[in-house]
């Protein structure tokens, strides 16, 4: 397993003679974390432009700790990052800014609690170095370097499949005012506007929940206009007595809808749905 502290001793040896205060140790430690993840130093300052010919290095630049506050420039994946560290009231506030969109991450550390010694081994200088490595990676580096996890659907056309199913004659554009489903999905609302010559339109309205009343179908609708609502006793000799069916109550007649009233000669309206198909004979009376 790789040593998580690999490279720290070499980094600190290069700046050990320049360390003046405890905050320098923290900045050197953060610099080491940045270089481990591919950042390269290109000098000091807060200039937010790249010329392209900057010299990139894994070492801290000359004069990195000459001032009380720190401003270091880095390049990562051809993008400019600026590290600021501000010492105030015993705290060190560190910001890492991505210059192209000014995205900023930051952490704040108590200097005396973080750094115990200015020289020596990492265990003596920064006893909590393991926790600090994790905090720098999570809160300072990953926040401004991780690529967005939002995936956008690519708008590329799919090639036509060679084994595409034949076109269904019932799959035609949807009814006006109804949002059609995407191609390839079946929808009960995609109903034919006109039946092909070889397909009769019997039962079409049964599949259409928005079909107008009286449009035909194989299911009996007790509320269609052909039903004699005013004569609920149709089919019973003499009919039902007045008041037997409360107003507005649903009541299915005992006889076929549209049938003649007792003593009337009105013929029943044609209704082919209840008739057997031509040539049908089930021999049920043999």
């Amino acid at each position: 397993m790789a040593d998580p502290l690999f490279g720290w001793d070499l980094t600190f040896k290069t700046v050990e003679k320049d360390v003046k205060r405890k905050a320098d140790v923290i900045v050197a430690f953060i610099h080491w974390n940045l270089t481990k993840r591919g950042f390269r130093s290109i000098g000091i300052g807060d200039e937010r432009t790249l010329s392209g010919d900057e010299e990139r290095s894994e070492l801290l630049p000359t004069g990195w700790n000459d001032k009380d506050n720190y401003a270091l420039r880095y390049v990562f994946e051809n993008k400019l990052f600026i590290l600021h560290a501000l010492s105030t009231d015993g705290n060190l506030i560190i910001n890492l800014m991505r210059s192209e969109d000014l995205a900023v991450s930051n952490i704040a550390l108590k200097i005396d609690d973080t750094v115990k010694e200015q020289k020596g081994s990492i265990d003596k200088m920064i006893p909590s170095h393991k926790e600090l490595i994790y905090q720098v990676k999570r809160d300072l580096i990953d926040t401004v370097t991780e690529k967005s996890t939002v995936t956008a659907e690519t708008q590329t056309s799919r090639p036509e499949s060679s084994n595409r199913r034949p076109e269904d004659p019932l799959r035609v554009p949807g009814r006006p005012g109804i949002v059609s489903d995407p191609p390839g999905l079946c929808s009960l609302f995609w109903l034919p506007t006109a039946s092909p010559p070889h397909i009769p339109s019997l039962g079409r309205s049964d599949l259409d929940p928005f079909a107008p009343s009286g449009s035909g179908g194989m299911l009996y609708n007790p509320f269609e206009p052909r039903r004699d609502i005013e004569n609920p006793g149709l089919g019973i000799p003499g009919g039902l007595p007045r008041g037997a069916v409360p107003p507005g109550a649903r009541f299915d007649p005992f006889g076929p809808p549209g049938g003649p009233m007792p003593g009337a000669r009105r013929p029943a309206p044609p209704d082919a749905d209840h008739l057997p198909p031509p040539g049908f004979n089930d021999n049920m009376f043999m």
Side-chain angles (χ1 to χ4, degrees):
M1 183 176 179
D3 183 6
L5 292 174
F6 177 79
W8 161 249
D9 290 338
L10 181 60
T11 299
F12 187 71
K13 286 296 182 182
T14 62
V15 298
E16 185 176 10
K17 63 181 183 301
D18 299 327
V19 173
K20 306 173 184 177
R21 48 192 178 270
K22 290 183 177 180
D24 293 346
V25 177
I26 298 177
V27 173
F29 189 81
I30 293 175
H31 167 83
W32 167 70
N33 278 270
L34 291 172
T35 56
K36 277 182 58 178
R37 287 164 177 81
F39 285 75
R40 293 296 178 263
S41 172
I42 59 173
I44 61 176
D46 53 5
E47 176 63 36
R48 296 207 301 263
T49 59
L50 280 175
S51 62
D53 57 355
E54 291 86 358
E55 183 178 352
R56 306 181 183 187
S57 173
E58 298 180 14
L59 303 177
L60 279 165
T62 302
W64 63 277
N65 61 343
D66 286 348
K67 300 180 180 180
D68 293 337
N69 299 322
Y70 307 81
L72 305 175
R73 303 171 76 227
Y74 293 88
V75 172
F76 177 73
E77 295 182 347
N78 295 322
K79 297 178 182 179
L80 176 63
F81 291 80
I82 300 177
L83 180 73
H84 289 98
L86 174 65
S87 179
T88 175
D89 295 332
N91 298 313
L92 188 65
I93 303 173
I94 305 107
N95 295 330
L96 182 62
M97 182 183 69
R98 187 171 57 206
S99 63
E100 67 173 2
D101 57 0
L102 303 183
V104 178
S105 61
N106 62 81
I107 60 174
L109 304 172
K110 290 186 176 296
I111 298 176
D112 291 336
D113 292 344
T114 303
V115 179
K116 299 300 182 180
E117 302 289 341
Q118 293 183 201
K119 298 184 184 300
S121 66
I122 187 66
D123 294 323
K124 291 182 178 180
M125 290 189 293
I126 309 176
S128 60
H129 60 272
K130 294 181 180 179
E131 293 79 4
L132 185 56
I133 290 176
Y134 176 74
Q135 184 180 3
V136 170
K137 177 182 181 300
R138 181 193 63 185
D139 298 334
L140 192 67
I141 300 177
D142 290 349
T143 303
V144 292
T145 59
E146 282 189 343
K147 294 180 174 59
S148 176
T149 58
V150 178
T151 57
E153 183 179 358
T154 57
Q155 300 178 352
T156 56
S157 58
R158 297 182 180 178
E160 291 291 336
S161 177
S162 58
N163 57 352
R164 184 177 180 182
R165 292 182 298 177
E167 189 68 22
D168 189 344
L170 297 180
R171 295 290 300 280
V172 297
R175 291 162 49 89
I178 300 177
V179 179
S180 301
D181 292 338
L185 298 179
C186 180
S187 172
L188 291 179
F189 298 102
W190 287 15
L191 301 175
T193 56
S195 300
H198 62 283
I199 299 179
S201 61
L202 298 178
R204 176 179 179 274
S205 64
D206 296 336
L207 301 177
D208 186 358
F210 301 102
S213 300
S215 59
M218 301 179 65
L219 301 179
Y220 170 60
N221 181 5
F223 298 103
E224 66 182 4
R226 292 184 297 175
R227 182 190 178 195
D228 292 327
I229 300 297
E230 69 277 6
N231 298 311
L234 189 65
I236 299 178
L240 291 177
R242 184 177 298 275
V245 180
R250 177 173 177 173
F251 183 83
D252 293 332
F254 295 93
M261 289 290 295
R265 295 184 179 181
R266 179 170 59 89
D271 185 6
D273 292 348
H274 71 279
L275 297 177
F280 177 80
N281 185 6
D282 60 358
N283 297 323
M284 60 184 298
F285 296 105
M286 291 185 63

